């Protein structure tokens, strides 16, 4: 990984169990982290936080963020803001998480961070 990107993990000792396909969930997490690192454009922080009480995972980055204009289109197939993007990653994430009945959101609330939240 890029030396200018730091990773912060807030993962509790006692987690919780979920019913999910491990390979599919791994693909979701890889895509989310890949998108976060690309948004950082070589410099910044990616945070992961597992909230056991609320049964949710939040992956955040302090990259360029998502404009309000694009936020509603981000999960549409073939939509991409990247120069060479194919618009497959977030559509795949949406399909996998929806098939597992997990809710999710991707927001840049204006505090300098973008948060991908998965509610289990």
């Amino acid at each position: 990984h890029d030396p200018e990107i730091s990773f912060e993990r807030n993962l509790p000792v006692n987690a919780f169990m979920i019913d999910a396909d491990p390979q599919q969930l791994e693909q979701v997490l890889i895509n989310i982290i890949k998108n976060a690192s690309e948004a950082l454009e070589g410099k910044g922080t990616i945070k992961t936080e597992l909230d056991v009480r609320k049964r949710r995972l939040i992956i955040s980055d302090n990259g360029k963020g998502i404009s309000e204009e694009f936020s509603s289109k981000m999960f549409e197939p073939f939509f991409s803001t990247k120069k060479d993007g194919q618009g497959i990653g977030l559509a795949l994430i949406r399909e996998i998480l929806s098939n597992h009945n997990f809710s999710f959101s991707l927001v840049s609330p204006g505090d300098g961070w973008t948060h991908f939240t998965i509610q289990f």
Side-chain angles (χ1 to χ4, degrees):
H1 68 88
D2 196 306
E4 296 288 321
I5 296 178
S6 63
F7 291 87
E8 296 178 12
R9 290 174 290 288
N10 183 1
L11 305 174
V13 174
N14 298 323
F16 53 89
M17 299 294 288
I18 60 171
D19 185 17
D21 181 297
Q23 286 82 23
Q24 288 185 3
L25 206 55
E26 179 182 27
Q27 189 62 56
V28 164
L29 297 175
I30 287 169
N31 282 355
I32 294 170
I33 302 243
K34 180 178 174 283
N35 286 344
S37 69
E38 289 172 358
L40 293 175
E41 298 177 327
K43 187 172 184 174
T45 302
I46 296 174
K47 295 186 205 177
T48 55
E49 178 183 355
L50 185 63
D51 186 328
V52 174
R53 193 174 53 78
K54 294 184 179 178
R55 295 182 58 89
R56 71 180 177 195
L57 173 67
I58 304 167
I59 300 173
S60 307
D61 70 77
N62 61 347
K64 59 185 174 191
I66 301 164
S67 70
E68 221 172 290
E69 172 191 1
F70 295 134
S71 64
S72 63
K73 302 175 184 176
M74 294 304 293
F75 290 96
E76 292 178 11
F78 312 116
F79 176 82
S80 180
T81 59
K82 299 174 194 166
K83 181 176 175 276
D84 297 318
Q86 297 177 9
I88 305 290
L90 286 173
L92 178 66
I93 288 170
R94 180 191 68 194
E95 183 172 333
I96 291 171
L97 293 177
S98 295
N99 287 345
H100 281 83
N101 294 316
F102 298 151
S103 59
F104 56 93
S105 65
L106 176 61
V107 295
S108 293
D111 61 357
W113 291 88
T114 298
H115 309 284
F116 198 115
T117 303
I118 302 172
Q119 185 72 48
F120 301 103

